[in-house]
Amino acid sequence: MDAETLSRRTLRFVNVAHALDHFVLLIYPTAVIAIASQTGLGYGELIGLATGAFVAFGLCSLPMGWLADRFGRRNMLAVFFLGYGLSCLGVASATTPLSFALWLCVLGLASAIYHPVGSTMLVTHARRLGRDLGVNGVWGNLGAASASGVTALLAATAGWRAAFVVPGLVCLACGAAFLALVPGDGEAGGRKAGGAAAIAVSRPWALMALYALAIFAGGVTFNLTTISLPKVIDEGVGHALPLALIGSLATVVFLFGALMQLAMGRLIDRFSLPALFVTLSVLQPLGLGLAALSTGLPLLAGLMLAMTAIYGQVVINDAMIARYVPPAYRARAYSVRYFVGFTASGFVVPAIAVLHERGGFALVLGIAAACGAVIWLSAIGFLRLTQGGPRAALAAAE
């Protein structure tokens, strides 16, 4: 197989994997509404069972870059597809709180593979970095966007177990197709956008600290918002809404984030990354603050604004590693990046339960808005440091 064909196929499967990664991880936060009605357990107790999944999702992302360097990125992505499929079927078979917690933990472990491995494969085979990052981001966001709607539809029509069985079978089929059609890691075809030289900076440690702070705070806002979104809409828009409509409204909110990721991918190829980061990040505290203080349509508007910023930031964060880190270290850099960002998810799940009990989702969203303000301040610091060095602004990709 020639390098160009391999790159095209690899990018397609990486995009599909990104969609599945976000889709499957967000099945439970919607399915838990149906599970609660059938089991009689409370929302806080059930959502807490997913803690292990999100802890594994964060902590286990750290070694995945090293494992990919040792065993091959293609092989690790195949493990992702197959592991995700089997864990979905396992959750569907759960009958007790303990079995739910164990299978969700396995699901989180499989989910941890994608971002460090898939992001490295993406920037290696990309032809235009910003565009391909944006397209990949849209796939991931569409997975997150459709999770609530599809899960609600399956749970309402065929039961909550079907909401795990159907995606599980899809993951297994994708894994088999990936192994058959993508023979190895290969080299990038055409112009190697991922192989471009890293941009030099004068104060790398200060930039790294601000980047890490923004990543961690972004992980908190991302998980607080995406995990609680279906229940936020359930309580904030109206308790009388059927589950399928709640899922559909959540899907609409996620779609706004997908559109921003596509636009951000185009902008990255044309403008300074730090300037884009500052402009976009200010939308997070504004949108989350509006959602925290309102109900009904204003709440939905605030969530849409926040999701636009949250998912746009994901593209910017990945582009920063692609631009600043030498190719030989990118897999490990992405591991650290997602470890820092996803570690927040480990305590976010129980935090949602505690905060919701004490102050409702106004308190949950208020905390998320405060974290969004931290991201904005970090972005301002990042911009000032890059403007003060000998290589002032980040150049657009060649």
Side-chain angles (χ1 to χ4, degrees), residues 141-182:
N141 196 276
L142 289 176
S146 59
S148 296
V150 173
T151 299
L153 180 62
L154 289 172
T157 57
W160 68 264
R161 297 184 192 278
F164 287 96
V165 171
V166 173
L169 295 177
V170 171
C171 289
L172 292 176
C174 289
F178 178 69
L179 287 172
L181 297 174
V182 179

Side-chain angles (χ1 to χ4, degrees), residues 42-368:
Y43 172 79
E45 180 181 0
L46 283 170
I47 199 67
L49 297 177
T51 300
F54 288 97
V55 168
F57 184 45
L59 293 180
C60 295
S61 63
L62 184 59
M64 294 306 172
W66 281 265
L67 291 174
D69 289 339
R70 180 175 178 83
F71 297 107
R73 295 185 294 271
R74 176 257 192 184
N75 295 333
M76 290 299 296
L77 196 63
V79 172
F80 162 79
F81 280 121
L82 301 177
Y84 231 11
L86 293 175
S87 60
C88 280
L89 299 181
V91 175
S93 70
T95 57
T96 65
L98 178 60
S99 59
F100 271 115
L102 290 175
W103 276 113
L104 286 168
C105 188
V106 175
L107 186 147
L109 175 61
S111 179
I113 297 173
Y114 171 76
H115 283 91
V117 177
S119 297
T120 307
M121 297 175 76
L122 172 67
V123 301
T124 298
H125 291 274
R127 293 179 62 85
R128 290 185 59 191
L129 181 63
R131 179 198 64 187
D132 290 337
L133 280 172
V135 170
N136 179 259
V138 169
W139 277 84
N141 196 276
L142 289 176
S146 59
S148 296
V150 173
T151 299
L153 180 62
L154 289 172
T157 57
W160 68 264
R161 297 184 192 278
F164 287 96
V165 171
V166 173
L169 295 177
V170 171
C171 289
L172 292 176
C174 289
F178 178 69
L179 287 172
L181 297 174
V182 179
D185 291 343
E187 296 294 333
R191 194 163 70 89
K192 297 184 180 180
I199 296 174
V201 293
S202 61
R203 301 178 64 183
W205 292 108
L207 287 175
M208 186 182 302
L210 288 171
Y211 179 77
L213 179 61
I215 290 296
F216 184 79
V220 175
T221 60
F222 181 94
N223 287 286
L224 278 174
T225 308
T226 57
I227 294 171
S228 62
L229 183 64
K231 190 63 175 177
V232 169
I233 294 176
D234 180 33
E235 293 190 5
V237 178
H239 288 286
L241 294 177
L243 179 59
L245 182 54
I246 293 171
S248 298
L249 289 174
T251 295
V252 171
V253 173
F254 278 117
L255 285 175
F256 276 81
L259 294 175
M260 174 52 72
Q261 286 190 314
L262 187 60
M264 192 56 58
R266 304 288 180 175
L267 294 173
I268 284 172
D269 287 330
R270 294 174 173 83
F271 299 102
S272 161
L273 271 176
L276 289 173
F277 191 16
V278 171
T279 303
L280 184 68
S281 61
V282 72
L283 300 180
Q284 287 199 45
L286 291 178
L288 290 168
L290 174 62
L293 298 173
S294 60
T295 58
L297 291 179
L299 180 143
L300 286 177
L303 290 175
M304 290 174 182
L305 188 63
M307 280 297 175
T308 296
I310 288 171
Y311 277 92
Q313 183 188 338
V314 172
V315 178
I316 289 179
N317 292 340
D318 286 345
M320 285 180 173
I321 290 181
R323 295 276 176 81
Y324 281 110
V325 179
Y329 299 100
R330 281 181 187 150
R332 300 176 188 182
Y334 278 116
S335 289
V336 174
R337 173 255 194 276
Y338 285 107
F339 167 74
V340 172
F342 292 156
T343 296
S345 64
F347 68 82
V348 161
V349 175
I352 291 174
V354 173
L355 294 172
H356 178 263
E357 182 179 352
R358 294 186 177 181
F361 281 114
L363 180 58
V364 174
L365 295 173
I367 296 297

